[in-house]
Amino acid sequence: MAVAEAFCGEARGIYGEDLVSVVLYGSAAGAGYRPGRSDVNLMVVLSERAVDRLDRALPLVRKWRNKGVAVPLFLTPAYLETSMDVFPLEYLGMKRAYRVVYGKDPLAGLRFEPRFVRLQCEREIKGKLLLLRESYLENEGKPRFLERVLVRAVPSLLAIFQGLLFLKGAGEATGGEEAVRAASLEFELDEKPFLALLNLKKMGARKADASPVEIYMGILGQLRKLAQKIDVLGGEDD
């Protein structure tokens, strides 16, 4: 992708040998990229001595944000290696679709431990359940507000489903709808609220399969069920 290549060229000019890798990940690295609508997501891996000099990157980030590049992730090889127990879902998501624009492949050697994936899945599921309940009460159940909350929840819900599929050894789903169907089948969930949410995000409330309130309450019910199932999936080692 020309945008990623151009960003990388400028990053190399700023950091020189301290730039270890630049990785393009997410929809821009796969078939789901929609020019002008999808963000361009980048991971910038710096040396330990350079990562504390983020001030050098301010003009670069400012310039490319105006061209559709999301604020990049800046990290070091050591941070990546030592955070596999904390952020496995994020790294699983990156590995689904990524391309190395410059330097070494920082994701190639990652190994995911099921106990850490399960723990983050549990934390995300139960946290999302509490957040959705709180948002429902805070917004007094008003459909236009609930629609915003639901749409913002889509990326984290899909990350959870991908993590659940990993735990079941069911492989990776290539798209949102596929992930919803596969995870719902594996965990005996009703897929309808989640599929309706994907349609809501794509089409808007006027063309959605159900009202925001119906989708909201359906997802709350399924997340509650999933929160119980993820406990059973755990073990004493967790």
Side-chain angles (χ1 to χ4, degrees):
M1 173 182 283
V3 170
E5 296 283 354
F7 177 96
C8 180
E10 294 187 23
R12 291 180 66 184
I14 295 170
Y15 288 108
E17 294 182 356
D18 286 313
L19 182 66
V20 179
S21 307
V22 175
V23 175
L24 176 70
Y25 68 92
S27 59
Y33 179 62
R34 300 162 71 182
R37 300 190 65 180
S38 300
D39 280 338
V40 176
N41 297 294
L42 295 168
M43 175 198 294
V44 178
V45 184
L46 297 175
S47 70
E48 292 291 339
R49 67 180 180 181
V51 76
D52 290 331
R53 296 303 308 274
L54 291 181
D55 55 310
R56 296 181 181 177
L58 287 174
L60 175 68
V61 172
R62 185 184 306 115
K63 171 184 176 179
W64 287 99
R65 282 187 72 183
N66 295 329
K67 298 184 179 183
V69 177
V71 176
L73 297 177
F74 283 83
L75 42 75
T76 66
Y79 180 91
L80 182 60
E81 292 174 8
T82 59
S83 60
M84 286 294 296
D85 56 340
V86 183
F87 304 120
L89 293 186
E90 285 76 6
Y91 296 137
L92 274 172
M94 290 178 188
K95 289 205 69 172
R96 286 185 57 242
Y98 77 97
R99 181 168 67 85
V100 178
V101 183
Y102 171 78
K104 302 176 182 178
D105 185 347
L107 301 176
L110 298 185
R111 297 292 180 267
F112 297 91
E113 292 194 34
R115 63 191 178 111
F116 294 138
V117 176
R118 192 210 69 82
L119 186 60
Q120 190 180 2
C121 281
E122 178 181 7
R123 185 167 59 246
E124 295 291 333
I125 292 166
K126 294 181 177 179
K128 187 65 65 182
L129 189 56
L130 289 178
L131 179 63
L132 290 178
R133 287 172 178 164
E134 179 183 11
S135 296
Y136 179 82
L137 295 172
E138 182 180 2
N139 294 300
E140 300 178 350
K142 295 176 181 177
R144 67 181 184 277
F145 292 111
L146 297 185
E147 180 182 354
R148 295 175 191 172
V149 174
L150 286 170
V151 170
R152 287 198 298 265
V154 169
S156 58
L157 288 173
L158 293 180
I160 290 169
F161 286 147
Q162 293 288 354
L164 293 174
L165 292 174
F166 170 84
L167 291 173
K168 284 287 189 176
E172 295 182 351
T174 57
E177 185 173 319
E178 182 183 345
V180 166
R181 293 187 185 279
S184 296
L185 180 63
E186 290 287 344
F187 287 85
E188 300 179 327
L189 301 174
D190 182 1
E191 65 183 30
K192 294 185 182 67
F194 300 108
L195 293 176
L197 172 55
L198 295 182
N199 184 256
L200 174 68
K201 182 181 180 184
K202 181 179 180 181
M203 306 298 294
R206 292 184 179 180
K207 297 182 180 180
D209 299 328
S211 72
V213 176
E214 291 173 323
I215 298 171
Y216 207 97
M217 301 312 293
I219 287 178
L220 275 175
Q222 294 308 301
L223 285 180
R224 182 170 179 269
K225 183 178 180 181
L226 190 54
Q228 297 167 345
K229 288 180 175 290
I230 197 70
D231 280 335
V232 176
L233 196 63
E236 293 181 357
D237 290 338
D238 293 332

